[in-house]
Amino acid sequence: MAKCLSSICAVNHVVKNSNFLSGIIAVPARRALEREKIDSLEKLSDYSEEEIMKLHGFGRNAMQKLKSHMKQHQVSFKN
């Protein structure tokens, strides 16, 4: 666990080593996937594009980048 350096914050934060889609999509979109326990392209393929777009933190830019990445790895959303 890492501690917040701010004197105002006395809460311990858990630092995860999640590299899934790091450098592909922005942190808010990655957190949205993490909240849904989506940590692989295989799990992502169980969702539709519409379902992912409904997640808080996910927008058109993230979706465009994600679809491009999925296409490169020959993975697609469910219909």
Side-chain angles (χ1 to χ4, degrees), residues 42-68:
E42 182 179 306
K43 287 182 184 178
L44 191 57
S45 68
D46 292 336
Y47 292 82
S48 70
E49 185 176 337
E50 292 79 22
E51 290 171 318
I52 298 299
M53 283 298 292
K54 289 180 183 177
L55 299 177
H56 178 74
F58 229 90
R60 290 179 300 190
N61 187 38
M63 180 56 72
Q64 184 179 19
K65 291 177 181 180
L66 182 58
K67 285 171 56 174
S68 175

Side-chain angles (χ1 to χ4, degrees), residues 5 7 9 13 16 19 24 31-32 34-36 38-40 48-50 52-53 57 59 64-65 68-69 72 74:
L5 299 178
S7 60
C9 180
H13 298 281
K16 296 183 180 181
N19 290 329
I24 307 298
R31 281 192 204 128
E34 186 177 281
R35 282 190 299 271
E36 296 296 316
I38 301 171
D39 58 3
S40 69
S48 70
E49 185 176 337
E50 292 79 22
I52 298 299
M53 283 298 292
Q64 184 179 19
K65 291 177 181 180
S68 175
H69 182 74
Q72 289 174 0
Q74 299 174 350

